[in-house]
Amino acid sequence: MAPGHYFWAIFYFACLCSASLANNAKVNFREKEKKILDQILGAGKYDARIRPSGINGTDGPAVVRVNIFVRSISKIDDVTMEYSVQLTFREQWLDERLKFDDIGGRLKYLTLTEANRVWMPDLFFSNEKEGHFHNIIMPNVYIRIFPYGSVLYSIRISLTLACPMNLKLYPLDRQVCSLRMASYGWTTADLVFLWKEGDPVQVVKNLHLPRFTLEKFLTDYCNSKTNTGEYSCLKVDLLFKREFSYYLIQIYIPCCMLVIVSWVSFWLDQGAVPARVSLGVTTLLTMATQTSGINASLPPVSYTKAIDVWTGVCLTFVFGALLEFALVNYASRSADRAADIQRENMKKKRREMEQVSLDAASDLLDTDSNATFAMKPLVRHPGDPMAMEKLRQCEVHMQPPKRPNCCRTWWSRFPTRQCSRSKRIDVISRITFPLVFALFNLVYWSTYLFREEEED
């Protein structure tokens, strides 16, 4: 072959290669996607009403694997016993009717935004109260169809879910809130939900909850049987621990302070009636307001909560301090009446003694004709009170001294006379009230903290 012919043959081959490369470069894969979607989802080729076949094309149930991503938990309400969560929900299943040619691996998947174009599992959230999709700025949903027929459905939703709570240990409690997902119409003979292998539940790292901490979460199955059949069900148990520091600052410390302030009346003078009454009534009303505010933030349950025990005992201590002053005031008035009676008796005795002295003086006068005064010895009668007092003082001075006793010395500051009984009540209250309150704190915290550890 002549050299010129070689040149033209090489030139022709180069032109063919360049044309082929140009054609490949001009391939529009979006157009390919449209053709494939029209091919697999065209009229008369795919029916979204028919569920996919089972594993390996058998007539068994369709298997749907589920995983969720918890984006945020915005509210846990104790009154309505519910919580709000925002999550990305994903389902994946195999539908062999949707297989397509991936053009040598260049088409990884097809994307749809209309869920009604393909068959969808009839999953619903069984403990849902409210829920909505997110449509800003476009609906947050997509469907991916892979070349081997696998379908991935992903959507972002916000839910308000019921969470039955046991508040017996409130606010030292832990609550378990569940997220339940089940099939509404397909029984386990047609549809089975399974958790995705690996990591079926994911939680955002910087999850922040007001007054709660998410300790852990557990995945499980909760298939239910009814008179229409057995239905597949999945659940996630979220374990929340209540933050106690908030309640310590807002409830426990203020209640302790109110109880201690009510004890100030024990150190006030028993005659300061306005001060002691105003202090007792003010602390009682403040404690009652605190208790009503706590109960307003909780549901009216039939059992006794830990916070009810605390506020009830604190209210009892404050009320007891007010009753203590009433008792002191009554004892003081009784002492005043006894003192008045004693003063009247002393006055009566003094008048009798003056009368006796006058009679004795008249006996000393001599009424004979010489008008001379005859002195008679002044004799004390056996029942004379002044003589008895002198005799008693002599007996006291003659008794041997006794050893001092600290408790008896402290107790002798307030003798057993009626007028000192009110002071004695105040002194006893200064010691009794703090000791009983400290004992209550010991029993309360040891009991409820121990019960909390038992529940853990």
Side-chain angles (χ1 to χ4, degrees):
M1 183 180 291
H5 292 166
Y6 282 109
F7 173 76
W8 288 110
I10 294 172
F11 179 76
Y12 179 72
F13 181 75
C15 290
L16 289 176
C17 290
S18 62
S20 178
L21 292 173
N23 290 332
N24 289 337
K26 293 180 181 179
V27 173
N28 189 343
F29 289 100
R30 305 290 80 79
E31 290 292 334
K32 292 289 184 181
E33 291 181 6
K34 178 182 179 301
K35 291 180 180 180
I36 293 173
L37 287 174
D38 292 339
Q39 180 182 357
I40 63 177
L41 298 176
K45 295 183 179 180
Y46 183 85
D47 193 345
R49 298 172 297 176
I50 306 301
R51 71 168 180 86
S53 58
I55 299 176
N56 296 327
T58 62
D59 195 29
V63 177
V64 179
R65 298 192 178 274
V66 177
N67 76 307
I68 59 176
F69 175 67
V70 179
R71 293 181 173 272
S72 65
I73 300 175
S74 58
K75 179 185 66 173
I76 301 177
D77 196 338
D78 298 317
V79 178
T80 57
M81 291 192 179
E82 63 185 20
Y83 72 104
S84 300
V85 60
Q86 183 187 131
L87 50 88
T88 298
F89 175 75
R90 305 185 187 98
E91 294 176 307
Q92 193 166 8
W93 66 93
L94 182 64
D95 194 344
E96 295 182 353
R97 298 173 295 174
L98 300 176
K99 288 182 179 180
F100 64 90
D101 184 13
D102 59 354
I103 314 177
R106 296 185 180 183
L107 283 179
K108 294 182 179 181
Y109 53 81
L110 302 175
T111 302
L112 293 176
T113 56
E114 299 175 358
N116 58 355
R117 296 290 299 276
V118 297
W119 176 87
M120 293 290 299
D122 60 342
L123 181 142
F124 77 105
F125 297 92
S126 58
N127 60 333
E128 172 207 354
K129 288 186 174 181
E130 294 180 359
H132 67 273
F133 302 120
H134 293 266
N135 297 320
I136 301 195
I137 54 175
M138 291 291 292
N140 299 165
V141 58
Y142 68 80
I143 297 175
R144 290 176 180 175
I145 303 174
F146 295 88
Y148 52 91
S150 178
V151 181
L152 173 63
Y153 174 73
S154 177
I155 187 171
R156 187 166 73 99
I157 53 178
S158 292
L159 300 170
T160 299
L161 304 167
C163 178
M165 298 181 182
N166 185 357
L167 300 174
K168 288 184 178 180
L169 298 181
Y170 177 90
L172 300 168
D173 57 335
R174 284 179 170 86
Q175 301 297 336
V176 178
C177 295
S178 298
L179 174 64
R180 295 174 176 264
M181 301 163 284
S183 173
Y184 190 80
W186 298 96
T187 63
T188 53
D190 296 313
L191 179 62
V192 173
F193 289 111
L194 297 177
W195 285 112
K196 184 179 179 181
E197 297 178 358
D199 194 6
V201 179
Q202 302 158 353
V203 180
V204 66
K205 292 183 179 179
N206 56 348
L207 180 64
H208 177 70
L209 297 174
R211 296 184 294 175
F212 280 93
T213 300
L214 179 61
E215 287 193 331
K216 61 182 178 180
F217 53 88
L218 303 172
T219 58
D220 201 357
Y221 296 91
C222 54
N223 293 2
S224 61
K225 290 184 179 181
T226 65
N227 55 2
T228 58
E230 182 180 0
Y231 298 90
S232 183
C233 176
L234 303 176
K235 73 171 181 176
V236 185
D237 290 332
L238 305 173
L239 179 59
F240 296 104
K241 180 182 179 182
R242 200 180 298 272
E243 288 290 345
F244 180 69
S245 58
Y246 169 81
Y247 300 93
L248 180 65
I249 297 173
Q250 296 293 327
I251 296 177
Y252 284 92
I253 293 179
C255 289
C256 282
M257 294 174 64
L258 287 174
V259 172
I260 294 173
V261 168
S262 66
W263 299 341
V264 175
S265 63
F266 303 153
W267 300 87
L268 297 179
D269 186 72
Q270 58 184 358
V273 176
R276 298 187 69 163
V277 170
S278 61
L279 182 62
V281 172
T282 303
T283 53
L284 183 62
L285 293 178
T286 307
M287 192 65 215
T289 305
Q290 181 87 349
T291 304
S292 62
I294 295 170
N295 293 329
S297 61
L298 293 173
V301 294
S302 59
Y303 48 82
T304 302
K305 304 179 290 294
I307 195 66
D308 295 336
V309 176
W310 175 265
T311 55
V313 172
C314 290
L315 188 62
T316 303
F317 271 93
V318 175
F319 184 67
L322 186 60
L323 290 182
E324 188 271 347
F325 169 67
L327 182 61
V328 167
N329 191 26
Y330 174 77
S332 178
R333 288 187 287 107
S334 299
D336 292 340
R337 286 196 298 269
D340 294 338
I341 294 174
Q342 187 175 5
R343 281 194 294 269
E344 291 294 331
N345 293 333
M346 291 296 293
K347 289 180 180 179
K348 186 182 295 185
K349 289 181 179 180
R350 190 177 297 111
R351 286 195 296 268
E352 291 177 356
M353 290 174 61
E354 291 176 354
Q355 185 65 32
V356 170
S357 300
L358 291 175
D359 293 341
S362 61
D363 291 341
L364 294 176
L365 295 176
D366 187 14
T367 56
D368 57 0
S369 59
N370 296 328
T372 58
F373 294 95
M375 300 296 295
K376 294 184 178 181
L378 186 59
V379 179
R380 296 287 184 184
H381 298 281
D384 194 350
M386 295 183 63
M388 296 298 293
E389 183 66 22
K390 291 291 185 179
L391 182 61
R392 190 180 297 110
Q393 291 180 2
C394 293
E395 291 178 355
V396 169
H397 286 294
M398 292 177 65
Q399 290 178 356
K402 297 182 179 179
R403 292 185 178 181
N405 192 331
C406 297
C407 297
R408 188 175 298 175
T409 303
W410 175 80
W411 190 260
S412 63
R413 295 181 181 179
F414 304 97
T416 56
R417 293 181 298 112
Q418 185 76 9
C419 61
S420 299
R421 187 177 300 172
S422 59
K423 295 181 180 180
R424 187 186 298 275
I425 295 173
D426 275 340
V427 174
I428 295 174
S429 300
R430 293 172 193 174
I431 300 173
T432 305
F433 274 73
L435 286 179
V436 176
F437 189 69
L439 180 62
F440 161 71
N441 273 270
L442 179 62
V443 174
Y444 179 87
W445 294 113
S446 59
T447 300
Y448 283 101
L449 290 178
F450 180 71
R451 289 180 61 183
E452 183 185 12
E453 292 177 358
E454 281 187 346
E455 288 197 352
D456 292 344

